[in-house]
Amino acid sequence: MPIGEAVIEIEDLSFSYGAEPVLEKISLAVQRGDFLGVIGPNGGGKTTLLKLVLGLLPAPPGCVRLFGQPLEMFKERARVGYVRQRALSLEQRFPATVEEIVSLGRVPRLSRWRPWGSADTRAVRAALRAVEIEELRERSIWELSGGQQQRAWLARVLAQEPELLLLDEPTTAVDPRAEAEFYGLLEKLNREQGLTVVLVSHDLETIARQVTKIACLNKRLLYYGVPEECSHPILEELYAGKRVLHHGHGWASSPSPSQGEGTG
Amino acid sequence: MFEIFDYEFMRLAFIGGTVVAILAPTIGIFLVPRRYALIGDGLGHIAFGGIGLALFLKFEPTATALAISILAALGIERLRATGRLSGDVAIALFLSGGLAIGLILARLAKRSTDQLWTYLFGSILTLKAEDLLWMIPLALGVLATVFLWRRELLYSTLDEETARASGVAVSGINLLFVLLTAITIVLSMTIVGLLLISALIVLPVAAALQRARSVRQAYLLALLVSLISVYLGLIGSYYLDTPPGPTIVLSALGLFGGMSVIAGRP
Ligand SMILES: Nc1ncnc2c1ncn2[C@@H]1O[C@H](COP(=O)(O)OP(=O)(O)OP(=O)(O)O)[C@@H](O)[C@H]1O
Ligand SMILES: [Mg+2]
């Protein structure tokens, strides 16, 4: 392994779906144990950036490294966990229990030569325990509240035992209290288990307390550093007077006046 | 009432029916949430085109249908994966194309319409013991494959993007799945005929989804509905002197309707 502890290295990454560039010359590095918050307006390219890192979209060769290896060569995808935006689009309300959903998280760890075993059952139990929904495991996923469902998706990805966790606006359709609890949970996993976390969120305010680093993304990377130094002018430029659709929370203008906790 | 088992053809029909009744929901449970029901229909019609081709070239019809629909399945999955198959139109092309080719080639081969009828509407009552000799191993192969890959199939079905991101070989799984679907369709064609295949694959699962609260429950319930439909249909067709394929499908429809009514109640 070259370059010690870097988990994600992005260098000069540009991307477009069509003619119009969506990301331009992004460079950043995420170290092991970091808790990175990615913020930006709708259409700023946050989801696109995650998908590039995950290999769901084709990144230009040589721009992205995971765990020190070029993305093109990286095969140990099970080390990377992903909770996607609007995770709840299970087709046609297909019935499944929480335990069945969470068990899917083990699939990347299985193979024809390593079928389901007691270690997998233990990992599923541990994941359910970590997000405190053990007692819901027999329940149908459709009978849960938004916050409980969100925990189920987190449990599924935790069952995978990833070293790096990428979450794309995971608190969609969750009330502010459940959201705060959820972020607290992430912070705990980050601090106690050393899990590297990249969290996409709609604004700084909700995640400033948990994250150790912040990336402001609107096509270009406008800021990358500790949240305390992410100043008001940067946020002004980031949102450039745009209104931001807070998924699941209706419309609100950004940046919100109370954000930015001064310089620490 | 069990005098119907005195007839060899009825015993064979029940065995063949059981094989397909188990197979159809095993594929259907993944097919329905993927919204592949039409792909099933498309493959059925292509298989029919294969039958026409076989009659024209004097090949073995079922084997030819199997080969053609497997090839078509691989083609369809490729188109779907590259996003060039935008559902409706492409499927409609396959549907009508397969049927038209089958009918024209069969006519050119100067075959009677009776023989085509058996492929369109099934021929469970003319099943021979030799037929079961290839049907059963093939069905067991499909069942075993689904069993071995059930977790991967489920993950790719419910959340393809996340499965792919975490390293599940989704493309391979999807390919495997259309292959298994093609085999299941050709096997079912001999029982209910190509025009009613998707009913047999979709209806029991659709019925089960209304009541089930877990994946396991949904599958077992669909299996039950499927078996009951086939048995009810066979017995019904014997006593009412109706064609078995449509009677089986009507039984499934009846069970589906009944379960919707029950599910509708608090
Ligand atoms: N599959 C696609 N094809 C073409 N353009 C796309 C596609 N997905 C996203 N885009 C475009 O790329 C840009 C960035 O989209 P992206 O989803 O990455 O934004 P985002 O920051 O995640 O936004 P949001 O906060 O709304 O989730 C947008 O202009 C969007 O319209
Ligand atoms: Mg997004």
Side-chain angles (χ1 to χ4, degrees):
Chain A
M1 285 261 149
I3 319 173
E5 291 287 276
V7 175
I8 307 175
E9 294 157 276
I10 299 173
E11 220 182 293
D12 214 23
L13 171 66
S14 300
F15 184 80
S16 65
Y17 290 98
E20 189 74 354
V22 171
L23 293 173
E24 261 179 16
K25 296 191 187 314
I26 309 291
S27 296
L28 59 84
V30 178
Q31 309 296 320
R32 190 176 293 278
D34 275 357
F35 191 149
L36 169 67
V38 180
I39 59 168
N42 292 136
K46 306 181 293 295
T47 300
T48 304
L49 184 65
L50 288 198
K51 285 187 178 175
L52 285 165
V53 169
L54 286 158
L56 291 174
L57 289 171
C63 291
V64 182
R65 296 171 78 85
L66 279 179
F67 298 99
Q69 297 169 50
L71 190 59
E72 305 80 55
M73 322 272 280
F74 186 72
K75 291 282 179 285
E76 307 154 298
R77 298 225 168 268
R79 294 170 75 182
V80 185
Y82 175 43
V83 177
R84 65 193 174 95
Q85 197 168 6
R86 285 176 283 272
L88 198 80
S89 62
L90 281 183
E91 296 296 319
Q92 298 188 335
R93 295 181 67 89
F94 194 83
T97 62
V98 171
E99 190 162 21
E100 283 174 334
I101 292 280
V102 174
S103 299
L104 291 178
R106 292 305 292 171
V107 174
R109 295 281 181 194
L110 303 174
S111 75
R112 277 318 101 221
W113 299 271
R114 208 197 74 67
W116 189 272
S118 56
D120 301 297
T121 309
R122 272 199 305 278
V124 168
R125 286 292 152 88
L128 288 166
R129 208 174 312 122
V131 303
E132 296 161 12
I133 55 168
E134 259 178 314
E135 70 286 356
L136 301 178
R137 69 173 194 276
E138 303 283 337
R139 295 268 293 275
S140 165
I141 190 84
W142 301 105
E143 299 170 0
L144 305 188
S145 72
Q148 289 169 331
Q149 280 173 354
Q150 221 67 53
R151 283 169 185 249
W153 307 130
L154 184 60
R156 179 175 73 182
V157 77
L158 292 179
Q160 187 184 321
E161 298 179 323
E163 293 161 59
L164 167 64
L165 190 52
L166 307 175
L167 304 111
D168 195 353
E169 303 202 34
T171 51
T172 301
V174 168
D175 67 51
R177 193 178 60 89
E179 182 174 49
E181 277 176 19
F182 186 85
Y183 288 156
L185 207 59
L186 285 180
E187 188 184 15
K188 199 169 128 204
L189 290 166
N190 170 251
R191 237 180 327 124
E192 292 175 5
Q193 299 182 17
L195 187 64
T196 311
V197 181
V198 175
L199 171 65
V200 169
S201 178
H202 39 263
D203 67 350
L204 178 57
E205 190 185 3
T206 43
I207 57 168
R209 211 160 307 141
Q210 279 86 30
V211 299
T212 57
K213 272 187 190 163
I214 198 96
C216 300
L217 187 67
N218 187 6
K219 192 150 80 168
R220 289 172 301 117
L221 190 62
L222 298 174
Y223 175 81
Y224 181 57
V226 293
E228 291 78 12
E229 284 166 24
C230 184
S231 66
H232 221 103
I234 293 172
L235 290 162
E236 292 281 0
E237 192 192 343
L238 179 63
Y239 291 102
K242 273 187 205 161
R243 286 156 71 83
V244 170
L245 174 59
H246 290 191
H247 298 284
H249 293 298
W251 289 87
S253 20
S254 269
S256 36
S258 63
Q259 75 75 42
E261 315 203 290
T263 41
Chain B
M1 106 138 246
F2 290 110
E3 87 263 11
I4 75 171
F5 289 114
D6 292 346
Y7 299 102
E8 168 82 359
F9 73 89
M10 263 299 168
R11 286 199 296 270
L12 290 174
F14 267 89
I15 298 172
T18 305
V19 169
V20 170
I22 293 173
L23 214 50
T26 305
I27 290 299
I29 195 85
F30 302 109
L31 193 108
V32 170
R34 281 169 186 249
R35 300 169 196 280
Y36 271 18
L38 265 174
I39 291 191
D41 251 334
L43 285 175
H45 285 68
I46 290 167
F48 184 76
I51 297 275
L53 187 69
L55 294 177
F56 186 67
L57 299 174
K58 302 197 166 43
F59 286 178
E60 212 294 298
T62 317
T64 312
L66 190 61
I68 297 273
S69 41
I70 284 176
L71 283 178
L74 300 181
I76 288 177
E77 176 53 28
R78 260 207 94 74
L79 287 178
R80 199 198 62 90
T82 51
R84 273 183 288 168
L85 183 77
S86 59
D88 299 359
V89 177
I91 296 288
L93 289 179
F94 285 121
L95 282 174
S96 37
L99 197 56
I101 290 173
L103 288 169
I104 288 175
L105 287 177
R107 169 56 59 88
L108 290 178
K110 307 212 178 1
R111 290 310 176 108
S112 67
T113 35
D114 278 10
Q115 192 167 4
L116 287 181
W117 185 265
T118 64
Y119 293 107
L120 286 172
F121 296 104
S123 54
I124 190 169
L125 299 181
T126 59
L127 219 54
K128 292 186 225 28
E130 303 95 85
D131 295 329
L132 292 178
L133 281 183
W134 65 266
M135 283 177 67
I136 291 176
L138 209 54
L140 286 177
V142 172
L143 287 177
T145 311
V146 171
F147 179 77
L148 281 175
W149 298 94
R150 66 194 183 285
R151 294 174 195 279
E152 287 84 353
L153 275 165
L154 188 63
Y155 207 172
S156 325
T157 300
L158 294 187
D159 194 342
E160 177 165 339
E161 187 178 62
T162 309
R164 194 184 292 276
S166 56
V168 177
V170 173
S171 309
I173 291 291
N174 287 345
L175 214 55
L176 182 71
F177 182 68
V178 289
L179 257 168
L180 297 174
T181 307
I183 296 172
T184 300
I185 283 187
V186 173
L187 282 171
S188 315
M189 186 168 71
T190 56
I191 303 295
V192 291
L194 85 92
L195 291 181
L196 297 171
I197 284 170
S198 65
L200 194 64
I201 292 180
V202 169
L203 280 177
V205 174
L209 289 186
Q210 304 182 69
R211 298 291 295 166
R213 298 174 68 251
S214 69
V215 181
R216 177 188 293 268
Q217 249 181 33
Y219 176 60
L220 293 177
L221 205 53
L223 206 55
L224 192 68
V225 171
S226 174
L227 283 165
I228 292 176
S229 308
V230 168
Y231 295 154
L232 221 58
L234 277 177
I235 295 170
S237 78
Y238 177 81
Y239 286 105
L240 305 173
D241 196 21
T242 49
T247 317
I248 289 171
V249 169
L250 268 188
S251 310
L253 256 177
L255 286 171
F256 174 76
M259 287 177 75
S260 331
V261 172
I262 297 170
R265 297 214 188 110

